[in-house]
Amino acid sequence: MSADTNGQPRIGVYVCHCGTNIAATVDVEAVAEYAAGLPGVTVSKTYKYMCSDPGQELIKEDILANQLDRVIVAACSPSLHEATFRRATAAGGINPYYFHMVSIRELDSWVHTDIVEATAKAKDLIRAAIHRVRFHKPLERARVNVNPAVMVVGGGIAGIHAALTLANAGKKVYLVEREPSIGGHMAQFDKTFPTLDCAACILTPKMTEVGQHPNITLWTMAEVDKVDGYVGNYQVTVRHKPRFIIEEACVGCMECIEVCVFRRGKTPDEFNLGLNMRKPVYIPFPQAVPQVVVIDQDACIEFRTGRCKKTCVEVCAERNAIDFTQTETFDTVEVGAIVVATGFKTFDPRRTPSYGYGVYPNVYTAMEIERLVNASGPTEGHVTLRDGRTPETVGIVHCVGSRDVNTNEHCSRVCCMYSLKLAHLVKEKTGAEIYNFYIDIRAPGKGMEEFYNRVAEEGVHFIRGKVADVYPEAGNTGRVVLQAEDTLLGRVRKIPVDMVVLATGLEAQADADEVRRTFNITCGGGGFFMERHPKLAPVSTFTDGIFLAGCCQGPKDIPDTVAQAGAAAAEALALVDKGFVEMEPNTAYVVTEECSGCKTCIPLCPYTAISRVDGKAYINPVLCKGCGTCVAACPSGSIRQNLFEDEEIYEEILGVLANA
Amino acid sequence: MDKPAAPATADGWEPKIVAFFCNWCTYLAADLAGTSRMKYAPNTRVIRVMCSGRVDPQFVLEALAHGADGVLIGGCHPGDCHYQSGNYKALRRFRLLKRMLLAFGIEDERVRLEWISAAEADKLRDVVNEMVAQVKALGPARLGTPPEDWAVGLEEEADEEVEGVTV
Ligand SMILES: Cc1cc2nc3c(=O)[nH]c(=O)nc-3n(C[C@H](O)[C@H](O)[C@H](O)COP(=O)(O)OP(=O)(O)OC[C@H]3O[C@@H](n4cnc5c(N)ncnc54)[C@H](O)[C@@H]3O)c2cc1C
Ligand code: SF4
Ligand code: SF4
Ligand code: FES
């Protein structure tokens, strides 16, 4: 190992108390005192909050006063404040990469209880840093231009709001939605809690605006196939599923639907959760955007037999919008940032068989009731049972697939409130007696408790208890009995009802894992996409330039979804509007004289950054993302990595073990 | 479950475990364990690398040669590496390294490669606690200085070893 120590360094060590977060478990004074005695350490101090302005100022002043040329801060995780302290180091007039951060909070004080052991650990970690920084070199961040366009994936209310915000700021937006229309779950609702305003009235204008916006390219029936590139310069390949309709030619007159050889629909209507049937040619719902029909290949006679009369084609002769020959096509576009807004799916209540969903016809999911209460739904807003009767008693079961270790541990956040909404709407429409079976009523947020009080005053019944069983009432009444232990009365209640509504929880999309891999982002608990930091970077991900909005990040209501979508749009805008990004200088490079030209490294690089130039390996710094795989593999040790030089890592190893 | 591993053995010896965690999964799991205030054995010393693929087998040997009683490498789950496939490269290198370490008399439990995602703070805690307990039972590691040229040809061999394995 060659040692380039850049002469004798002058190191400043700063140990943060973080209030008592660190100081209660790590003897910070002892640590600082210990560090002061190690070679090269010029100043060693503790401070209450290193990240505060005075803390940063301290670094800056010490650099100037003591000619420090290395800075170490032992505090929280580098994922939190590395950037802060690099800036402070630069403010003192030295290269920011002379800084190194040591986590003694997340990695130490927060996970240990014994002050002796935690203090010893902090000393080891700081000693490793003192060893390491001697080998630090000044580095420059490369500037890369940013493509100003943004892609938004998912056209629910989150994607719609993000796309409009960006488009209104003058940015080119590609909105990719996999269904034939945008709108997401919100398009299926009649009213929205807590204000009970009409969902269509607030959503439709936004959908129309998306469809007409000059800056938005809307791709429905499309999915992202592949993402290449890096922050500021992503190449996204989008797969378009065939619609069998030429979108530009179709005016949405729907005459083809009328004349289709199917007199009545025979395919369960997805938008209405199969509560009615649709034809093979259909429009998902009246306000769909784009206002274009779609042909379902699996249901269409022409596709199945090739011998249909094609009355649809005849009636569309003038516009000639129907095209049975369409196939999957691909588009590749360049964007600087991506907002992922792929939403959620609802829990499948068949997974908890005791509720009888799929067994008793009058057990419904909340989503089905949303469609039944909807004026443009399959029953035109009449809440009727499958046999046509109007229910006189309705039981609403909260927390189905939420707050249950056997299904999902999390609270889905919206079910209490939408249950109250449905209680109100069903009562209003049928006059039925409504029983809400709840564990706790969760009504945080603006207007929510008031909404709960309002519904309670309307005479809706509340029974505090988890429904244990649903079974048919004796005597063929068609009713089912909800059995629950009423924890307020301390006895078992059995309530026969005509209709059961299961308040199913919100879950991550079934394909969240694949989507996450496509975008190189992470899933947290429950499969929802993980934000970079729950408080400080709630819409960012660990991949720069990829942002999150809406329920794909976790269950939330529409107001929070829209707020988050605005935040994601703002973050994306801040990135692309600046015009350039600075890359972390952790790229690998080849020491050409040492390279034997063995080519071991070339196939290892996932980004094909390595090529052979004049018989030696060459790493293109723009393509290298700094994983370090080639560095570890080079048999002659001729590949190095900035910020993670072999010497730096060996010194860390020696440093942590110096006391062993 | 939240309890750290058993306290020091009679003679006060505590194993030291050097851990190499990738920046995108396992290091974040450690961050999450921290923010969740989980408690685990204080014996690990984490060195952050961008990817488990950066971990040179020589790092592991150096650590053992300088007094580490165990080495833990943490990376993203297969298919989840932030750099697509660095963890596969780590795995194949690790397999060869293990074979050699066994020949040097280093017990299996002392050197581990674990896939721990950013959400798996509990797994991180459990792996650390388990490993500390196992290494404690084994006692201090003894590895002399490995021969200078031990690693020569390792990578080529690794290539042959996994010929045809799709990553
Ligand atoms: C029964 C029920 C009632 C509710 N009632 C209310 C209410 O009254 N008030 C309220 O505030 N909130 C309510 N909510 C919550 C509300 O539904 C959500 O807050 C909101 O829909 C979240 O919007 P979103 O855009 O994040 O997700 P979604 O509405 O799920 O939209 C996601 C969109 O992304 C598309 N998509 C998914 N994956 C991909 C992919 N891979 N590629 C391309 N596109 C993709 C989907 O097709 C969909 O269009 C209710 C929820 C439920 C379940
Ligand atoms: S592996 Fe090392 S020696 Fe071989 S070609 Fe690559 S840089 Fe050169
Ligand atoms: S460090 Fe990783 S990304 Fe960079 S050249 Fe080497 S293998 Fe490729
Ligand atoms: S980034 Fe975690 S293993 Fe590659």
Side-chain angles (χ1 to χ4, degrees), chain A residues 153-160 176-179 181-187 189 191-194 222-224 341-346 366-367 370 414 417-418 421-422 448 504-506 509 511 515 519 549-552 555-561:
Chain A
V153 184
I157 181 62
I160 289 172
V176 179
E177 165 60 54
R178 70 171 164 205
E179 298 297 329
S181 170
I182 55 170
H185 284 92
M186 188 175 169
F189 308 152
K191 299 272 170 24
T192 55
F193 69 74
E223 273 177 79
V224 171
T342 49
F344 65 96
K345 76 166 173 18
T346 47
M367 247 359 252
E370 290 284 355
V414 294
M417 287 298 124
Y418 79 56
K421 169 183 78 176
L422 293 176
M448 301 296 183
T504 49
L506 276 55
Q509 291 278 16
D511 62 350
V515 171
F519 294 98
C551 287
C552 64
K556 54 181 70 68
D557 59 15
I558 295 164
D560 283 3
T561 295

Side-chain angles (χ1 to χ4, degrees), chain A residues 189-414:
Chain A
F189 308 152
D190 184 45
K191 299 272 170 24
T192 55
F193 69 74
T195 44
L196 292 180
D197 37 5
C198 142
C201 313
I202 50 183
L203 183 63
T204 312
K206 293 190 86 139
M207 289 169 54
T208 313
E209 198 184 340
V210 166
Q212 295 173 349
H213 207 294
N215 289 342
I216 299 179
T217 297
L218 171 60
W219 282 326
T220 49
M221 302 191 71
E223 273 177 79
V224 171
D225 205 48
K226 193 154 89 70
V227 179
D228 287 320
Y230 48 90
V231 55
N233 295 276
Y234 286 113
Q235 291 95 40
V236 189
T237 306
V238 175
R239 179 158 35 91
H240 302 276
K241 286 166 278 185
R243 190 176 193 115
F244 306 110
I245 299 293
I246 300 162
E247 240 180 79
E248 301 71 38
C250 174
V251 287
C253 66
M254 297 187 232
E255 279 176 35
C256 51
I257 306 180
E258 199 98 322
V259 303
C260 172
V261 296
F262 279 79
R263 293 262 205 73
R264 267 176 294 109
K266 289 203 167 145
T267 309
D269 183 336
E270 298 86 349
F271 190 77
N272 288 329
L273 299 123
L275 291 170
N276 66 326
M277 298 293 166
R278 61 154 173 81
K279 294 184 180 181
V281 55
Y282 68 105
I283 191 151
F285 55 103
Q287 306 86 344
V289 169
Q291 274 287 308
V292 173
V293 300
V294 47
I295 293 178
D296 174 354
Q297 197 171 357
D298 297 330
C300 170
I301 299 276
E302 179 61 15
F303 281 104
R304 281 165 44 195
T305 67
R307 289 204 305 264
C308 184
K309 282 208 311 227
K310 289 182 277 197
T311 41
C312 54
V313 176
E314 280 168 27
V315 78
C316 195
E318 200 178 310
R319 305 207 57 89
N320 212 2
I322 299 171
D323 178 3
F324 292 107
T325 66
Q326 280 184 359
T327 50
E328 220 173 54
T329 57
F330 293 86
D331 260 307
T332 300
V333 291
E334 306 236 342
V335 296
I338 300 171
V339 177
V340 178
T342 49
F344 65 96
K345 76 166 173 18
T346 47
F347 174 78
D348 178 358
R350 288 182 193 87
R351 281 168 56 197
T352 42
S354 57
Y355 293 136
Y357 183 78
V359 178
Y360 310 123
N362 294 335
V363 179
Y364 293 81
T365 65
M367 247 359 252
E368 289 169 335
I369 305 302
E370 290 284 355
R371 294 311 297 152
L372 287 185
V373 296
N374 196 304
S376 61
T379 54
E380 288 167 350
H382 299 292
V383 180
T384 49
L385 297 164
R386 287 189 217 267
D387 61 10
R389 282 185 303 128
T390 301
E392 287 167 18
T393 44
V394 177
I396 302 182
V397 183
H398 290 217
C399 295
V400 176
S402 305
R403 306 180 66 199
D404 175 356
V405 284
N406 298 316
T407 55
N408 292 301
E409 197 185 344
H410 65 258
C411 165
S412 294
R413 252 183 78 183
V414 294

Side-chain angles (χ1 to χ4, degrees), chain A residues 77 79 124 517 644 646, chain B residues 31 39 45 54 58 80 82:
Chain A
S77 170
S79 49
D124 283 353
R517 286 190 179 148
F644 295 90
D646 277 350
Chain B
D31 272 357
K39 303 294 177 224
R45 303 291 181 262
R54 174 69 181 94
Q58 186 75 41
D80 287 355
H82 191 74

